Structure formats: C-alpha cells, structure tokens
Amino acid sequence: MGALDTTFIQEAEHRPNLKMVEAEGVPSIDLSDSPARTREELASEIGDACKKWGFFQVINHGVPLGLRKRIEELAKEFFDQPLEEKTKVKRDEVHPMGFHDSEHTKNVRDWKEVFDFFLQDPTLIPALSHPEDKSLRKLTNQWPQNPPQFRETCEEYAKEVEKLAFKLLELISLSLGLPADKFNGYFKEQTSFLRFNHYPPCPQPELALGVGRHKDGGALTVLSQDSVGGLQIQRRSDGEWISIRPVPDAYVINLGNAMQVWTNDLYWSAEHRVVVNSEKERFSVPFFFFPGHHVSVKPLDEITNEENPPKYKEFNWGVFFAMRNRSDYKKQEVENIQIEHFKVSE
C-alpha cells in the first residue's frame, strides 16, 4: 500500500499504543459436549462473558479445520494478485460486495484491503432512494475468476460458520432464560456477510489503524484470525484498550449492536479496533451475523419491565444496515448512524 498518506493518520487521542498488554480474563470457552457440564451451564458461561466483555473465544467449535485452512490460503492467494486483477471485482455503491481498498471507519481511512460476500445471494435491503421509499434493492455477490475454486470454497465455509453462529445464538438465548430458538426467526432472509481482511505491513504503525474504533452492527461476529495478532477491545469495566491474544484454531466471538439492544444493555457490544505493524502482514476472516431486512430491533419484552424499562426506541434493521453500509466508502459529512441515536432519553 506504499507510504502513509495523510488520509490514514488517526487523531492523536485515537492513535494506538503498540506496547499494550494482552487481556487477562477474556474467556476461552470449550463448545464440545461434556458429561461434566449441561447445556445450560455452558450457556451461563457464555452469558457471563457477554455481560463482562462482549467478547470471548471458542474452541472445539465444529468448523472443519481443514476448510478453515483452505479459506486462509485462498484469502492470501486473492490479495497477492496484482491490483488490476483484484479491481475486476471492485466494490462500489451499486455493488457493495467485492474488493475494496479505501474503507473508512469514523471518517479515517483504514490500513487494509478487503473482499466481501453475502451469505445469501441475492440479499435484499431497503433501497432508501428517498425518505418515503419502501422498495427493496436486490444485491448480489461478485466473484473473481482467480484463485480457482474461490467461490465454491467460500460458499462451503460460509455454511459452516453460519452453523456455528446459530449454535452460539441459541446458547445466548438460553443464557437469558429464553427458549433456545427465540432469535432464530429474525434471521430469515438474513443480511449476513463474510469478509476477508488483509493488513499489509505499515511504515508508521503508530499513526494508523488497520480498522478504526467501532462496534459491529448485528447480532454477533464470528472471527477467524491468524497468529500475528492486532485485535484490541475496549474493556467494559474501565474503557481501557486491551489486546486479544490469538488462540490456535479458536474463533473470536463478539456481540453486535442488535444483541445489546435486544438485551437492553445487559449484554455488551464492545468497541474494538485493529493495530498494524511494520513487519508482518495479517489476515482475518469475520462472519457478520445480521438479521433480515424486515426485522424490527427493540429491547425484548421478556427482559424489560417497570424496574428495567426499554433503553432504546424500536428501529428497522434493514434501514440501519443500509445507512451504515453507505458510509464506509468515503469520508462523510455527518456521523455514521449508531444505536446511541435510538437511546431513550432519561
């Protein structure tokens, strides 16, 4: 990506601390069936992590390790291609899936390049061509010709991480004392997508970020990361930035805005970012588990009462997703939409 252009430089207060300590206490949870532990006990362990951190790692998760290794190899093969090859599937406001190398977070350019694809092809989202527009846009994936077997392997992998996402969704539901399938209906016609991230070595890593500070929008994110490290989260208890240590073969799980709203702030969507380094490239593959465009997001009736009134107004997921999706192409004049905009004033 060459020299550090000024568009990558973070404001002084948001620049990374490259000597940060790794987080103590972010749990690593074994999802395998065990006679020593009930499903409800496993759910309770996950619930504790959702309250305290909004992040945890999972091992023995059921995603075939050979398939995950193939995906990691394919991601490197794709990004190793010349730029003119990658830009044949370049993302734009008409085709929001594909290759992109100038993404912005909080109006500062990220030091990375990405390739995105929807889990469901096509995916429907609100068109939003004007305030009264109720029509839907049909969005489709763009697939490169190279590397070979790219599309087939991506689609196979997507199905496996989706299974893991539903398993986690059900455990989170049980942790709230709700039926396991409470959330499942929200994911008919889901807007979920997967992303390949490539963070090249950065000449001045103390000034830039691979991804600026942000919270994910949906229910949860299932992240595969390599051994290089760089993911940092903001600790709920004191707001300190701490590093997440890569655990071999584990997935990093974090909650998104929708889950924080559904649980009325009981569970936490943590702000997080990615730091870069000057020596090693880094790859990661997140799966963003997003509801269907028609879903209304609001605190669950089962959780709210007179002592715990709703902290958020109801909003439509499709509109929220479509508005956020527009803002990462270029610098915007107004702030990206956040769940704080739907907070009920006290």
Side-chain angles (χ1 to χ4, degrees):
M1 291 173 72
L4 192 72
D5 185 271
T6 55
T7 57
F8 292 104
I9 296 176
Q10 295 283 330
E11 298 277 347
E13 69 267 31
H14 298 307
R15 288 176 193 167
N17 173 5
L18 300 177
K19 296 188 176 119
M20 195 150 296
V21 293
E22 287 175 351
E24 293 295 324
V26 174
S28 185
I29 299 173
D30 188 341
L31 295 184
S32 59
D33 292 329
S34 166
R37 179 190 63 188
T38 66
R39 194 181 184 204
E40 284 67 29
E41 286 169 335
L42 172 58
S44 176
E45 203 177 332
I46 285 173
D48 289 344
C50 293
K51 270 186 214 160
K52 186 174 180 183
W53 298 97
F55 264 83
F56 54 96
Q57 303 202 57
V58 294
I59 58 172
N60 296 319
H61 40 68
V63 177
L65 296 178
L67 178 58
R68 175 169 166 175
K69 188 167 187 295
R70 285 202 341 258
I71 275 291
E72 289 167 354
E73 290 166 352
L74 273 181
K76 178 164 174 53
E77 281 180 53
F78 174 78
F79 289 120
D80 279 351
Q81 296 179 111
L83 185 61
E84 57 267 25
E85 195 64 34
K86 291 181 282 193
T87 52
K88 287 177 181 175
V89 288
K90 189 164 178 59
R91 217 172 80 180
D92 56 36
E93 293 189 35
V94 177
H95 299 100
M97 295 290 115
F99 172 74
H100 195 49
D101 61 355
S102 55
E103 189 155 270
H104 288 71
T105 304
K106 307 281 189 199
N107 273 340
V108 181
R109 193 172 167 193
D110 296 329
W111 186 265
K112 67 172 180 181
E113 51 182 355
V114 306
F115 178 83
D116 294 340
F117 62 97
F118 281 121
L119 175 76
Q120 295 189 347
D121 190 8
T123 287
L124 299 174
I125 68 162
L128 298 187
S129 59
H130 55 81
E132 303 302 312
D133 188 0
K134 299 285 191 260
S135 63
L136 296 173
R137 284 174 72 197
K138 186 185 283 190
L139 302 179
T140 55
N141 289 330
Q142 300 186 87
W143 295 107
Q145 289 186 311
N146 289 302
Q149 297 296 304
F150 187 83
R151 176 176 182 169
E152 294 81 356
T153 309
C154 287
E155 290 176 341
E156 183 185 353
Y157 178 76
K159 288 191 182 83
E160 292 295 335
V161 284
E162 183 196 21
K163 281 185 210 166
L164 173 57
F166 270 113
K167 181 176 185 175
L168 292 164
L169 192 71
E170 291 182 356
L171 288 164
I172 289 169
S173 188
L174 288 171
S175 76
L176 294 163
L178 301 172
D181 63 355
K182 168 65 187 176
F183 294 108
N184 290 16
Y186 297 155
F187 293 85
K188 289 174 181 157
E189 296 191 323
Q190 61 184 280
T191 53
S192 305
F193 72 97
L194 290 90
R195 165 170 291 175
F196 293 168
N197 286 314
H198 175 223
Y199 305 96
C202 179
Q204 293 177 282
E206 70 283 0
L207 298 179
L209 287 166
V211 185
R213 72 199 193 284
H214 68 287
K215 296 184 177 191
D216 292 348
L220 55 89
T221 302
V222 179
L223 174 78
S224 161
Q225 64 168 342
D226 65 17
S227 60
V228 174
L231 175 63
Q232 297 183 341
I233 70 168
Q234 203 169 34
R235 190 161 48 198
R236 186 175 193 179
S237 58
D238 59 8
E240 281 294 306
W241 285 103
I242 52 176
S243 294
I244 298 284
R245 179 176 58 87
V247 173
D249 300 330
Y251 279 95
V252 179
I253 311 300
N254 67 279
L255 301 189
N257 288 159
M259 188 59 74
Q260 182 171 330
V261 172
W262 284 329
T263 64
N264 209 37
D265 286 351
L266 177 64
Y267 290 174
W268 185 242
S269 173
E271 196 156 60
H272 51 287
R273 66 187 185 185
V274 173
V275 300
V276 286
N277 69 80
S278 58
E279 294 164 9
K280 290 182 178 175
E281 63 182 350
R282 175 178 180 262
F283 295 92
S284 70
V285 184
F287 169 62
F288 299 103
F289 195 33
F290 285 177
H293 66 84
H294 56 281
V295 171
S296 291
V297 179
K298 63 175 183 138
L300 295 173
D301 293 339
E302 296 92 331
I303 286 173
T304 54
N305 52 43
E306 278 185 28
E307 289 76 41
N308 181 29
K311 296 176 181 174
Y312 297 92
K313 293 176 278 197
E314 187 172 340
F315 62 90
N316 172 263
W317 169 259
V319 172
F320 184 76
F321 171 75
M323 290 179 74
R324 282 173 69 100
N325 206 44
R326 287 177 173 180
S327 67
D328 55 10
Y329 293 99
K330 54 185 181 290
K331 192 163 182 175
Q332 302 285 315
E333 297 306 315
V334 293
E335 186 194 8
N336 191 1
I337 192 168
Q338 307 289 338
I339 55 167
E340 283 70 30
H341 297 143
F342 300 98
K343 271 271 191 185
V344 174
S345 51
E346 297 178 5

